[in-house]
């Protein structure tokens, strides 16, 4: 189904979003014989991988761990081409998923959900939609209303772009592009003077490729990030045989980050109990391996203190070996915050890009952006003339896609009001006051601090098993209790407290969005402990939830 009206508007389950989560949910729910409708704002499936088409966009979890684990048929059908897959590959994979399981007939594209309200007497959700892109105010009339007993928000953690707080953006005379909604036909920067604002993961991936094309690239950096190399390479058939896939997936289940990491004895020892040489050797080993596993070097690395500083010093020293001009290397060196408190970036040739003659780095801490002008960007050092502007300025993460929908629970209470002081959720799966509503990888779950594929599968399995239990036991409504929710929120905060995470100014804590409550949102207790907590709740008949009989 594409944009056509559904045959009926009453469903057992409505799923919002057709990325990894929505596709797997649909597959599982249909296998249970439920009437499901997936509503998707884009005109294709893929979620994150549908929208983020900027040059260099690729995953920072290895491809062989990023494919769904539930289907041998899918494994047979699909081969990854690189260690870290590029966006077109992942989007093609998700389209293959949709085709393999014939999911499209139950997916309604170009449909933006505007509101969802819970009807207490009927134990059903009533959702309103509008056609995507319909911003003239008439959209509500051309939208539709759907009802469902259960509503699952599969809306993604990094899917609501942050509105950049930069004066004069609209006045720019040339084209401007956002990495999070890149033109499908691509952009040719040949011969142009291009400015990129933002040096998080998106900027770090896009900058080297834009630099190869542009006549001149100006990078506007406010905060230098900690960056580890991807060491990307092609994948062979041997790298993704059935046995290899199974081993790596198993290993991911036991790892706090949900990725295949075989710890050595050294990794179990606190960093400062080793000699400086031993510590350095381990950092170097993981640097050569590449990717986010650097964060698993030592058990105390993500706690505030010496181990964290040692890791930071190691990463800073690498910048000086890669960037020829010491003054540029100094600007690219992170300062004033612990490594890990902002999301680590994974790069290919980022630092080397600053050795090119056609690349300039603008240090916004020294010369902040005053405003964008028709001709370029005006900073404290003067105007930088530009032909094109790229915004890699990030997302209203974890809660933005949810609060963008007018979700109202019992008593008509809006979710945005319940979460005004920060998100509160039981296990990142359900919210007190919002019966029969589930969130996939919601705040309070490992989500963005884990391999998203693995965490999505775990959540979808948990939610669909829960729905099967409710059906078998004649239960019409399920709702997280306030008490259980408060205990989980307190536990999540307690686990995070000794770590560097709550200290950082980042999208993890909502500090990147003006006015957003400052709360560390993901669960840092690790994938195995989290899964155990979820399994225990289910095994005990959904303890912590109130169940209402039909
Ligand atoms: O966003 P970000 P992102 N003036 O928030 C700057 C995932 N992801 O899209 O740090 C000037 O990290 C801002 O500066 P500062 C991944 O989890 C994954 O890059 O606020 N600058 C920062 O430099 C990632 O963490 C992959 O001082 C402004 C940048 O914009 C998450 O998505 C690839 C500004 C925003 O960085 C978000 O990454 C891409 C302003 N007014 C993304 N406002 C993979 O590899 C913002 N900035 C899988």
């Amino acid at each position: 189904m594409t944009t056509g009206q559904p045959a009926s508007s009453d469903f057992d389950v409505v799923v919002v979003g057709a990325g990894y989560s929505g596709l797997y949910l649909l597959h599982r729910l249909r296998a249970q014989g439920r009437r499901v409708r997936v509503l998707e704002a884009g005109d294709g499936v893929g979620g994150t991988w549908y929208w983020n088409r900027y040059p260099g966009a690729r995953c920072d979890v290895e491809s062989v761990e990023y494919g769904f684990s539930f289907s041998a048929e899918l494994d047979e059908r699909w081969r990854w081409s690189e260690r870290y897959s590029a966006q077109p590959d992942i989007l093609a994979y998700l389209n293959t998923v949709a085709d393999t399981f014939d999911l499209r007939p139950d997916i309604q594209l170009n449909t933006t959900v505007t509101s969802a309200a819970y009807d207490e007497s009927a134990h059903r959700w009533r959702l309103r939609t509008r056609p995507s892109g319909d911003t003239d105010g008439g959209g509500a009339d051309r939208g539709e209303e759907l009802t469902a007993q259960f509503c699952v928000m599969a809306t993604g953690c990094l899917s609501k772009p942050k509105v950049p707080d930069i004066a004069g953006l609209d006045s720019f005379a040339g084209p401007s592009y956002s990495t999070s909604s890149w033109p499908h036909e691509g952009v040719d920067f040949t011969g142009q003077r291009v400015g990129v604002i933002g040096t998080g993961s998106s900027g770090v991936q896009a900058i080297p490729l834009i630099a190869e094309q542009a006549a001149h690239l100006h990078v506007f950096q406010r905060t230098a990030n900690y960056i580890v190399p991807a060491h990307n390479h092609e994948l062979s058939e041997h790298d993704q045989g059935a046995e290899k896939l199974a081993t790596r997936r198993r290993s991911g289940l036991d790892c706090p980050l949900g990725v295949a990491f075989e710890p050595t004895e050294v990794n179990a020892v606190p960093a400062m109990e080793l000699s400086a040489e031993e510590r350095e050797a381990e950092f170097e080993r993981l640097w050569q391996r590449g990717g986010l596993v650097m964060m698993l070097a030592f058990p105390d690395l993500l706690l505030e203190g010496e181990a964290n500083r040692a890791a930071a010093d190691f990463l800073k020293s690498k910048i000086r070996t890669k960037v020829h001009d010491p003054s540029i290397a100094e600007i690219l060196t992170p300062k004033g915050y612990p490594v890990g408190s902002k999301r680590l970036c994974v790069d290919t040739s980022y630092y080397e890009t600053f050795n090119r003659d056609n690349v300039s780095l603008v240090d916004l801490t020294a010369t902040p952006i005053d405003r964008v002008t028709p001709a370029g960007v005006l900073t404290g050092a003067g105007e930088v003339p530009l032909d094109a502007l790229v915004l890699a300025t990030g997302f209203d993460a974890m809660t933005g896609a949810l609060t963008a929908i007018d979700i109202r629970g019992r008593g008509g209470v809006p979710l945005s009001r319940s979460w005004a002081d920060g998100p509160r959720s039981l296990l990142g799966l359900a919210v007190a006051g919002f019966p029969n509503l589930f969130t996939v990888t919601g705040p309070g779950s490992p989500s963005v601090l884990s391999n998203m594929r693995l965490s999505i599968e775990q959540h979808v399995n948990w939610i669909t098993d829960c729905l099967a239990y409710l059906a078998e036991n004649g239960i019409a409504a399920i709702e997280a209790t306030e008490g259980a929710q408060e205990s989980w929120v307190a536990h999540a905060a307690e686990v995070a407290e000794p770590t560097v995470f709550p200290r950082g100014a980042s999208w993890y804590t909502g500090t990147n969005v003006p006015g957003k409550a400052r709360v560390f949102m993901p669960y840092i207790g690790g994938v195995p402990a989290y899964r155990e907590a979820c399994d225990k709740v289910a095994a005990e008949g959904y303890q912590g939830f109130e169940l209402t009989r039909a």
Side-chain angles (χ1 to χ4, degrees):
M1 170 163 301
T2 52
T3 51
Q5 291 292 313
S8 159
S9 58
D10 299 314
F11 297 93
D12 298 327
V13 187
V14 166
V15 173
V16 185
Y20 262 86
S21 310
L23 294 177
Y24 183 39
L25 270 162
L26 177 54
H27 176 61
R28 288 270 307 201
L29 290 165
R30 276 208 322 211
Q32 292 182 342
R34 291 172 192 277
R35 297 182 62 245
V36 190
R37 170 61 39 87
V38 177
L39 304 174
E40 165 56 52
D43 72 358
V45 302
T48 286
W49 301 105
Y50 168 89
W51 296 104
N52 290 267
R53 298 173 188 238
Y54 59 86
R58 64 178 69 246
C59 192
D60 58 8
V61 167
E62 294 190 42
S63 308
V64 290
E65 297 172 53
Y66 206 55
F68 281 123
S69 72
F70 66 85
S71 165
E73 182 189 350
L74 199 53
D75 288 345
E76 253 326 288
R77 258 189 156 185
W78 184 260
R79 289 293 172 274
W80 298 103
S81 55
E82 292 176 274
R83 180 186 188 191
Y84 292 99
S85 285
Q87 172 272 333
D89 245 24
I90 304 174
L91 185 59
Y93 171 75
L94 291 172
N95 275 286
T96 301
V97 172
D99 292 333
T100 302
F101 303 109
D102 191 25
L103 299 177
R104 296 186 201 274
D106 293 318
I107 301 173
Q108 188 172 326
L109 301 174
N110 291 309
T111 303
T112 297
V113 176
T114 54
S115 68
Y118 187 64
D119 177 342
E120 289 174 55
S121 56
H123 305 302
R124 290 181 77 76
W125 282 90
R126 186 174 298 279
L127 289 93
R128 285 210 62 83
T129 69
R130 66 168 166 77
S132 297
D134 202 341
T135 50
D136 65 359
D141 298 336
R142 289 191 290 280
E144 57 181 323
E145 193 169 277
L146 300 88
T147 72
Q149 185 181 4
F150 299 100
C151 177
V152 187
M153 293 296 175
T155 39
C157 294
L158 292 151
S159 47
K160 172 81 180 150
K162 168 186 131 151
V163 180
D165 44 350
I166 302 171
L169 265 182
D170 289 344
S171 72
F172 184 60
S176 64
Y177 307 97
S178 168
T179 49
S180 56
S181 54
W182 201 258
H184 290 200
E185 63 280 12
V187 181
D188 183 0
F189 291 113
T190 306
Q192 297 187 12
R193 299 162 302 173
V194 182
V196 174
I197 302 178
T199 52
S201 297
S202 303
V204 162
Q205 289 183 331
I207 283 163
L209 291 173
I210 296 175
E212 283 176 14
Q213 226 179 34
H216 200 97
L217 173 64
H218 299 268
V219 176
F220 296 88
Q221 175 196 276
R222 191 164 64 182
T223 306
N225 264 300
Y226 289 97
I227 299 173
V228 291
H231 296 314
N232 194 22
H233 56 71
E234 286 184 5
L235 280 187
S236 67
E237 184 67 25
H238 173 73
D239 292 326
Q240 47 196 318
E243 225 170 275
K244 281 231 161 173
L245 289 182
T247 309
R248 294 196 66 149
R249 285 169 183 161
R250 254 198 318 276
S251 161
L253 288 171
D254 295 334
C255 168
L257 296 181
V259 294
F261 176 66
E262 301 298 343
T264 65
E265 279 172 26
V266 166
N267 301 128
V269 180
M272 304 322 283
E273 288 180 17
L274 297 171
S275 69
E277 292 71 29
E278 288 168 322
R279 229 174 11 248
E280 193 82 357
E282 186 54 13
F283 286 140
E284 186 62 33
R285 182 180 80 83
L286 293 175
W287 174 271
Q288 292 306 334
R289 176 182 158 148
L292 297 170
V293 290
M294 176 64 79
M295 292 291 90
L296 298 170
F298 300 108
D300 49 348
L301 195 151
L302 291 172
L303 305 179
E304 281 199 286
E306 286 301 310
N308 186 276
R309 280 192 283 281
D313 288 345
F314 175 83
L315 296 178
K316 289 175 186 178
S317 73
K318 288 292 185 186
I319 302 171
R320 294 189 285 274
T321 67
K322 287 177 171 246
V323 178
H324 299 161
D325 181 335
S327 64
I328 302 286
E330 181 56 24
I331 298 170
L332 290 168
T333 299
K335 296 170 191 76
Y337 67 96
V339 59
S341 63
K342 278 168 104 74
R343 170 83 169 200
L344 206 61
C345 299
V346 180
D347 88 304
T348 299
S349 308
Y350 179 69
Y351 289 126
E352 291 82 350
T353 297
F354 293 91
N355 296 329
R356 297 175 66 108
D357 291 338
N358 72 330
V359 175
S360 311
L361 179 61
V362 183
D363 178 4
L364 298 180
T365 58
T367 55
I369 294 178
D370 179 27
R371 65 195 146 88
V372 172
T373 67
V377 172
L378 183 65
T379 74
E383 188 177 67
V384 180
L386 298 171
D387 302 308
L389 189 57
V390 174
L391 299 169
T393 40
F395 298 87
D396 181 353
M398 308 222 51
T399 57
L402 293 167
T403 53
I405 302 170
D406 182 11
I407 300 175
R408 290 178 185 249
R410 272 193 299 103
V413 174
L415 182 69
S416 54
R417 193 197 302 160
S418 293
W419 283 4
D421 296 329
R424 311 186 82 72
S425 162
L426 177 53
L427 295 163
L429 277 162
V431 184
F434 296 80
N436 290 3
L437 180 84
F438 296 96
T439 52
V440 182
T441 60
S445 72
S447 56
V448 292
L449 295 179
S450 70
N451 174 355
M452 286 298 285
R453 184 279 304 165
L454 182 147
S455 286
I456 285 168
E457 281 190 315
Q458 187 248 333
H459 264 195
V460 169
N461 292 340
W462 192 95
I463 291 167
T464 50
D465 288 351
C466 172
L467 295 193
Y469 176 91
L470 301 182
E472 279 159 23
N473 291 278
I475 290 158
I478 179 167
E479 179 185 349
T481 66
E482 285 282 354
Q485 177 169 288
E486 287 318 296
S487 298
W488 182 255
V489 169
H491 164 67
E494 190 185 345
V495 179
E497 183 47 35
T499 74
V500 295
F501 287 97
R503 320 277 173 259
S506 77
W507 59 261
Y508 287 148
T509 51
T511 35
N512 66 326
V513 176
K516 189 166 174 173
R518 185 179 177 136
V519 173
F520 176 67
M521 295 181 283
Y523 178 67
I524 184 62
V527 159
Y530 175 78
R531 188 177 58 246
E532 207 173 292
C534 291
D535 290 349
K536 185 166 181 284
V537 165
E540 292 175 355
Y542 296 91
Q543 208 184 48
F545 289 86
E546 190 174 314
L547 308 181
T548 306
R549 295 213 163 268

